[in-house]
Amino acid sequence: MQWQTLGSAPFLPPLYWRAALKRKITGSTLPEQGLRCQMRINPQDVAAYRNVCGFADSPILPATYPHILAFGLQMQLLTTKNFPFPLLGLIHLRNRIRLHRPLGAVSEVTVSVHVQNLRPHAKGATFEVVTTLEDSLGLLWEAESQMLCRGVKLEGEPAGDTLPSPTQVNELTRWKAPADIGRRYARVSGDYNPIHLSALTAKLFGFPQAIAHGLWNKAHTLAALGEHLPPANIEIVVEFKKPVRLPSEVTLLTRAPGASGEWLLKGAGDIEHMVGMWQPIA
């Protein structure tokens, strides 16, 4: 793995332009390179993120906030010339985060991103975007986001590992996903993917309505689970099922929260939007 260290977080507008121009698959191997950057955490940015995602005020960062810190690095990596897939059109299938220590009193961190694990899938190929957060004491937080690129042809058998839907779950809470949440989340995350912004821009990519960001759904779920989740030594895995069309209402169902647990996010007509689980890090 070749690492490049950046002096500051990437400037996003030119990366969007680069993403918009690349529409073709140009290869079938992942680049052996990663990006790193030292970042300071801005309390105003964290407060705006909490507000959009439903997190209560706390001295500990939301477990999903490192995704926001890493977004620019991920964009830069996925729009380099030697990255083989177009960024627009990638589908986020699943996401796993591991919190090694509580995210309290964190002000300066090193964020690193790379890609790995290209595998055949029934609809194309999947790969993982790996993100880590380190402070002066070492590894704090890490994540793998599994992405699907349709239309890639790879040799081998498609993997079929999916999270089962939990049973014996009870309603914990419900919330509305308003029509403008894609735009509001874009402002705090930097993720201005057109499928999330409006019905008009979503239709350009084959969606009848705008859909909520998967990581907004996950963040709002963790905010709702709140005190049920341990602040550290925890692994949280989610699988994104049917997208949440905007506007709509969703219901969170969970089972016996404790050191480990499961949840299901449902929409109207029992549509399953997301399944998830948490457990101690093995």
Side-chain angles (χ1 to χ4, degrees):
M1 182 71 61
Q2 289 179 310
W3 288 96
Q4 181 189 355
T5 302
L6 305 183
S8 61
F11 183 54
L12 288 173
L15 301 181
Y16 272 105
W17 187 239
R18 220 188 282 173
L21 292 176
K22 178 163 182 175
R23 292 301 178 89
K24 291 196 167 72
I25 295 164
T26 54
S28 56
T29 54
L30 296 176
E32 291 277 324
Q33 68 192 75
L35 297 174
R36 283 196 182 116
C37 185
Q38 200 165 30
M39 297 187 188
R40 288 195 72 80
I41 290 165
N42 180 327
Q44 283 87 5
D45 292 347
V46 178
Y49 176 81
R50 286 185 190 284
N51 184 37
V52 168
C53 299
F55 286 100
D57 210 15
S58 164
I60 294 179
L61 283 180
T64 45
Y65 190 72
H67 285 299
I68 305 302
L69 294 175
F71 181 72
L73 290 178
Q74 293 168 352
M75 277 280 288
Q76 180 148 333
L77 189 65
L78 300 182
T79 55
T80 52
K81 281 204 168 62
N82 61 347
F83 184 74
F85 311 134
L87 177 59
L88 287 175
L90 291 179
I91 298 161
H92 197 172
L93 295 182
R94 63 191 289 162
N95 175 271
R96 168 170 43 199
I97 61 180
R98 291 189 192 92
L99 264 160
H100 293 277
R101 288 180 282 126
L103 297 178
V106 179
S107 62
E108 201 157 283
V109 290
T110 299
V111 185
S112 309
V113 302
H114 70 277
V115 288
Q116 66 178 27
N117 204 13
L118 185 64
R119 297 160 73 189
H121 183 275
K123 293 180 179 169
T126 60
F127 66 94
E128 289 166 355
V129 180
V130 180
T131 306
T132 60
L133 218 74
E134 292 170 275
D135 65 2
S136 55
L137 298 175
L139 184 63
L140 253 182
W141 180 101
E142 58 186 328
E144 294 112 39
S145 293
Q146 188 189 56
M147 312 299 289
L148 167 67
C149 182
R150 289 180 171 145
V152 182
K153 302 281 191 288
L154 289 182
E155 294 295 313
E157 282 298 303
D161 48 343
T162 60
L163 273 184
S165 292
T167 53
Q168 297 163 318
V169 285
N170 299 305
E171 180 175 332
L172 179 70
T173 185
R174 54 180 61 200
W175 61 83
K176 290 201 162 40
D180 68 345
I181 198 61
R183 297 188 291 279
R184 289 172 53 208
Y185 185 78
R187 284 197 286 274
V188 298
S189 69
D191 186 351
Y192 284 88
N193 186 326
I195 62 175
H196 304 304
L197 302 180
S198 70
L200 201 63
T201 53
K203 281 184 176 121
L204 299 174
F205 292 85
F207 290 90
Q209 291 156 268
I211 62 173
H213 291 74
L215 287 175
W216 179 78
N217 294 330
K218 179 176 181 177
H220 210 300
T221 296
L222 297 192
L225 287 167
E227 302 300 308
H228 296 309
L229 298 176
N233 190 40
I234 179 178
E235 173 178 274
I236 303 165
V237 184
V238 302
E239 202 162 283
F240 301 110
K241 303 282 197 185
K242 291 269 193 286
V244 174
R245 292 182 179 187
L246 301 176
S248 61
E249 185 178 63
V250 294
T251 304
L252 178 63
L253 302 106
T254 186
R255 178 162 66 88
S260 61
E262 298 175 291
W263 79 77
L264 176 60
L265 191 68
K266 277 185 156 177
D270 273 353
I271 293 174
E272 291 192 2
H273 293 305
M274 181 172 66
V275 297
M277 54 83 72
W278 72 92
Q279 62 188 18
I281 295 172

